[in-house]
Amino acid sequence: MNASFWINSLLLGAALAMDAFSVSVADGLAQPDMSRRKTLAIPAAFAVFQTMMPLLGWFAVHTVATYFTAFEKAVPYIALGLLGFLGGKMIWEDLRREEDEPGKRVTPAGLLVQALATSIDALSVGFTTQRYDFPQAAVSSLVIGVVTLALCAVGVRLGKTVGNRFRHAELVGGIILIGIGIEIFVKDVFF
């Protein structure tokens, strides 16, 4: 594995992690008082999904590529639907909450949906790594996962820091999630 392999994997990891980073910030905003365990679980969940999805895409290219091509067209619609639903729910709950009531907690189920929604586009990375053998595809996916882990850890910390100082942080977090869903949809459908 040469230098360009490592550089490409790092850059790919950074690009793929941007959606997960933004959602991590939103999670930190929504729950600035979250436990240390949850502060670690959020980046870990995103990293696991961002590691698995390119491998699944690579596997699909090498086995069931014709079936995966049809699914790939649905990716932006799925991401928009999932992130729009989660963001809308956060906005609704923030607007309904009383002044002294705490913000909504990031649930394990909600985190799974977020991790899935932000990593669906990573499936298509398997197409770009089709020339790799399995060990190269696995190493590239691990690099993507490590980059995602690091960026999302920073994102959660940033969101928690700002969220401790801002009353309607959950509202902002919901707007961010909807914005990410729209961005994925527009980028994948129109460009």
Side-chain angles (χ1 to χ4, degrees):
M1 293 178 234
N2 58 26
S4 67
F5 169 85
W6 293 103
I7 292 169
N8 287 342
S9 295
L10 285 169
L11 292 174
L12 197 54
L16 288 172
M18 286 300 106
D19 292 342
F21 169 81
S22 299
V23 174
S24 296
V25 172
D27 287 343
L29 282 168
Q31 189 179 346
D33 61 341
M34 75 175 67
S35 69
R36 180 178 171 90
R37 182 176 173 184
K38 192 175 285 185
T39 301
L40 298 172
I42 290 171
F46 287 119
V48 165
F49 274 80
Q50 291 285 46
T51 301
M52 289 178 6
M53 290 300 197
L55 276 177
L56 288 174
W58 180 89
F59 178 75
V61 166
H62 290 276
T63 57
V64 291
T66 56
Y67 300 113
F68 184 72
T69 305
F71 173 75
E72 187 178 24
K73 292 178 178 143
V75 166
Y77 297 94
I78 294 168
L80 176 64
L82 291 173
L83 291 173
F85 172 75
L86 289 171
K89 187 171 182 249
M90 285 174 70
I91 291 168
W92 176 255
E93 288 171 355
D94 184 82
L95 294 175
R96 290 188 44 212
R97 187 177 56 227
E98 298 295 324
E99 192 67 33
D100 58 346
E101 201 178 339
K104 184 70 176 165
R105 303 295 184 221
V106 179
T107 65
L111 179 57
L112 270 163
V113 171
Q114 290 175 351
L116 176 64
T118 57
S119 68
I120 289 175
D121 60 340
L123 273 171
S124 60
V125 169
F127 288 128
T128 67
T129 62
Q130 69 181 344
R131 68 186 186 286
Y132 293 167
D133 58 18
F134 180 75
Q136 288 175 313
V139 168
S140 180
S141 293
L142 282 173
V143 169
I144 291 166
V146 169
V147 169
T148 300
L149 181 71
L151 288 174
C152 290
V154 170
V156 170
R157 174 60 57 199
L158 178 65
K160 285 175 65 171
T161 301
V162 173
N164 277 326
R165 297 177 177 89
F166 187 53
R167 158 77 176 97
H168 290 285
E170 191 173 11
L171 174 74
V172 172
I175 292 169
I176 290 171
L177 289 183
I178 292 170
I180 292 166
I182 291 169
E183 183 264 336
I184 291 170
F185 180 79
V186 169
K187 179 180 69 176
D188 289 354
V189 171
F190 298 108
F191 295 103

